[in-house]
Amino acid sequence: MELDTIAAISTPPGEGAIAIIRISGDDSVAIAERMYRGNQNLRDVDSHTIHYGHLVQPATNETVEEVMVTVLRAPKTFTRDDIIEINVHGGVVSADRVLQLVLTEGARLAEPGEFTKRAFLNGRIDLSQAEGVMDMIRAKTDRAMNVAMKQVEGRLARQIKTLRSELLEAIAHVEVNIDYPEYDAESVTLKRLEKQITAVQTEIDQLLATAHQGKILREGLATAIIGRPNVGKSSLMNALVQDNRAIVTEIPGTTRDVLEEYVNVKGVPLRLIDTAGIRETEDVVEKIGVERSRQALSDAELIVLVLNANETLTEEDKALFATIEDFNAIVVLNKTDLKKEIDESEARDLVGDRPLVTTSLLKEEGIEDLEAAISHLFFDEGVEGTEINYVSNTRHIALLNQAKATINEALDAAQADMPVDMVQIDVKRAWEHLGEIVGETAPDQLIDQLFSQFCLGK
Ligand SMILES: Nc1nc2c(c(=O)[nH]1)N(C=O)[C@@H](CNc1ccc(C(=O)N[C@@H](CCC(=O)O)C(=O)O)cc1)CN2
Ligand SMILES: Nc1nc2c(ncn2[C@@H]2O[C@H](COP(=O)(O)OP(=O)(O)OP(=O)(O)O)[C@@H](O)[C@H]2O)c(=O)[nH]1
Ligand SMILES: [Mg+2]
């Protein structure tokens, strides 16, 4: 494949100890050689070795930087092309200056994700592995990282490839039968096809069964803390984040805007949202806050409804219970250090079979129970093991569902005794859907769009 030479800064912008400029492509070594002054000629050094030296402006021989240069020759590299990594002193100016020099010497500025795209185009990894690379960078918890790493290792890719070859084998058998009708009776062929694709469907179902948890691990669970003003919502946010992130005062209506933080609750990544206390109000600012709270509530995948044990239940509390009826919710009865005013049996009726946790956030009591309740709601003990191969990416989940639906159509057609070549068309479509996951049947546009969401320099 004819690919030009690309370059980018692969470390985050800003001050740091070291920054890396990465170059990939046929001209990498030649470009580096023109700029590098050291004991050896980069052209002659062994692959996968690193060399101290200086970079100069080739035209003037003026020294630009003190560097370490790594030479990585194809094919055993990240992109499978020749790679040069220039390690410069950290800082915005030095990295930028070296990048400019590299571009002047003939490299093209890489697009976001283009190094990983090269690895894909050169066949080192498939699309699901490339997406895993990005997930690793974005992972916010150990568990999310582990899920991503398995994807990078190619576990999902291998499973999908097996399923595809099973479908292909089923199709091939039908084709033999169409070409040589005397080979098998059509009914025999149909039965055989049914059996083969049913097996594939079962495996797809097993993968899809992990999707719910997988998606949570990857994206974080949108969790809204709601309740009347002053019940302790911001105190709860701070307790879970273990930081004074939100302002807490005794004044009802303290939180005006929606605050968002990522927290790791026993390995479950939460996108935690503290909201303004929901009540009728004439205050213009608070009114907007209450509106935003309602929005956060409707977008949430988990609601933590906070009640104040020191007050009797109000109509507003009851209205909140009504709004969360269709949501996953945990109820927190806070301020248990104060005199109990709430009618607990009435509260329990409203709570129903949802988890109820009592806390005194002031005394830092009950937080552990709340964390346990959250984690239990999504990860029953035993479900999660290191052997589980989670499907976590929305794109993959959608394609698995499409493949499943098409196999169902094929099975229906088979049962309705449709001609076998009709059934075969559906099986072929399922094979294509699965192919989009690994990138084999994915349109170029989709591939470009996916990689464009990556980091610059990755
Ligand atoms: N300096 C540096 N550190 C880095 C990277 C990098 O590109 N540069 N990586 C990236 O961003 C990650 C490492 N990922 C990599 C994945 C595959 C190969 C690679 O060369 N694979 C070859 C041969 C492997 C071998 O020698 O056996 C292959 O799979 O064919 C290299 C790095 C993390 N650390
Ligand atoms: N006694 C007692 N006070 C608490 C407890 N939890 C929070 N408070 C106090 O209750 C007051 C309100 O707490 P916040 O966390 O600001 O309540 P909020 O629900 O975020 O309030 P708004 O943002 O106004 O809706 C503060 O003075 C807290 O110190 C508790 O468990 N016991
Ligand atoms: Mg608040």
Side-chain angles (χ1 to χ4, degrees), residues 223-228 231-233 235-237 239-240 302-310 313 317 321 324 329-336 342 344 347 351 354-361 365-367 369-371 373-374:
T223 305
I225 308 172
I226 65 158
R228 280 191 296 118
V231 292
K233 297 180 295 303
S235 305
L236 183 65
M237 165 87 141
L240 289 174
L302 170 66
I303 307 278
V304 179
L305 173 58
V306 186
L307 302 174
N308 182 351
N310 183 232
L313 280 169
D317 287 322
F321 271 104
I324 65 165
I330 292 176
V331 182
V332 172
L333 190 55
N334 187 35
K335 305 203 188 186
T336 49
I342 198 165
E344 213 172 328
V351 172
R354 310 184 131 109
L356 174 68
V357 180
T358 57
T359 60
S360 166
L361 294 170
E365 284 167 12
I367 297 157
D369 292 346
L370 175 62
E371 292 182 337
I374 293 172

Side-chain angles (χ1 to χ4, degrees), residues 23-30 32-33 40-49 51 70-85:
I23 318 172
S24 176
D26 285 350
D27 297 335
S28 308
V29 182
E33 202 185 4
Q40 275 165 296
N41 199 322
L42 293 181
R43 189 200 305 263
D44 305 324
V45 304
D46 288 342
S47 184
H48 290 67
T49 53
H51 304 275
T70 311
V71 178
L72 305 149
R73 283 185 224 283
K76 283 198 164 183
T77 71
F78 184 74
T79 56
R80 286 219 167 142
D81 292 330
D82 284 347
I83 290 185
I84 289 284
E85 291 186 348

